[in-house]
Amino acid sequence: MNFLAHIYLSFDDKEITLGNFFADHIRGNKFGHLPIKIQKGILLHREIDTFTDSHPTVRKSSKRLHKNYSHYSRVIVDIYYDHFLAKNWSDYSEVPLDEYVENFYNLLEDNYDVLPMATKRMMPYMMADNWLLNYANLAGINNVLHGMNRRTKNKSKMNFAILDLEEHYTEFENEFTSFFEELITFSNQKFISLCED
């Protein structure tokens, strides 16, 4: 899953949210210096990724893209799924998305000192272009896909993936909806067990 999903699947625990958000910027087990709950957020992130990567519905979404994007298809699906989460946000949260996102940006700023360097470098771009809020519209997703393509030095051709999303929009949305219900249940169980340890 992509950024918005990982933040959401932290169940409003601030330290878990931080770890779950920036876990991809932490290599291996090099996080023992962080507060315990942030460490648990990193572990939760990894559990979510493992569950997601092996799920048949996610693989079905990914397979639809594989011919054009090869191993980048999984990354594209993560971005698509964040779009559907943002677009249908009111189905999952009583807090409006703009308010939720603003609260998250404030959390990052309040905890700037503990953020990995890669997260600190990314933050200004993320906030200036308001990635999380703009996931809700196709123009925002198009911008993200173009940015990802630039990061791969145009090898991924992800800038064309907006066309695949538009062509198979209903299928991707239905797959997201059925999968995300299972992911919420799984993540909540992992969250509880991690917080009990």
Side-chain angles (χ1 to χ4, degrees):
M1 301 304 291
N2 210 38
F3 293 130
L4 185 60
H6 279 292
I7 296 162
Y8 176 77
L9 295 169
S10 301
F11 305 100
D12 297 320
D13 184 297
K14 290 182 178 180
E15 288 183 296
I16 296 281
T17 299
L18 289 168
N20 201 350
F21 169 68
F22 66 61
D24 282 338
H25 293 154
I26 300 287
R27 288 175 183 253
N29 60 358
K30 295 180 180 176
F31 52 86
H33 62 288
L34 293 168
I36 293 296
K37 263 203 156 174
I38 292 180
Q39 294 184 41
K40 291 181 176 184
I42 292 168
L43 295 174
L44 177 59
H45 178 109
R46 292 175 178 179
E47 292 276 8
I48 289 168
D49 280 358
T50 299
F51 180 83
T52 300
D53 290 345
S54 62
H55 198 282
T57 301
V58 178
R59 289 186 169 184
K60 184 178 178 183
S61 291
S62 182
K63 188 176 180 184
R64 194 176 292 119
L65 300 168
H66 198 268
K67 180 182 171 187
N68 291 333
Y69 306 101
S70 186
H71 61 283
Y72 294 108
S73 57
R74 277 290 298 111
V75 178
I76 296 168
V77 169
D78 283 348
I79 294 167
Y80 287 178
Y81 280 16
D82 252 16
H83 163 64
F84 293 118
L85 174 57
K87 177 199 166 200
N88 300 301
W89 184 255
S90 61
D91 294 341
Y92 301 101
S93 177
E94 294 179 1
V95 180
L97 183 58
D98 57 347
E99 183 181 333
Y100 187 92
V101 166
E102 188 63 32
N103 290 340
F104 173 69
Y105 292 152
N106 290 338
L107 177 67
L108 289 185
E109 290 178 330
D110 291 346
N111 293 274
Y112 189 80
D113 289 347
V114 301
L115 302 179
M117 187 53 64
T119 309
K120 290 177 179 177
R121 283 196 296 265
M122 181 182 74
M123 251 179 79
Y125 302 101
M126 181 182 207
M127 295 169 72
D129 294 333
N130 209 345
W131 294 354
L132 299 177
L133 186 62
N134 285 319
Y135 283 153
N137 60 69
L138 288 176
I141 292 299
N142 191 35
N143 288 339
V144 171
L145 291 166
H146 272 78
M148 294 294 285
N149 184 56
R150 281 193 301 274
R151 258 171 261 158
T152 66
K153 297 182 170 60
N154 301 319
K155 290 177 192 165
S156 67
K157 308 298 182 194
M158 287 167 71
N159 52 309
F160 294 110
I162 193 70
L163 302 175
D164 300 83
L165 176 58
E166 290 170 341
E167 183 179 354
H168 301 285
Y169 196 87
T170 302
E171 295 100 311
F172 282 122
E173 184 164 24
N174 289 342
E175 285 157 11
F176 162 78
T177 303
S178 67
F179 165 68
F180 201 62
E181 289 300 325
E182 291 184 48
L183 183 60
I184 291 170
T185 301
F186 170 84
S187 302
N188 191 46
Q189 291 168 348
K190 291 295 177 183
F191 172 85
I192 291 167
S193 65
L194 282 167
C195 290
E196 284 174 347
D197 289 345

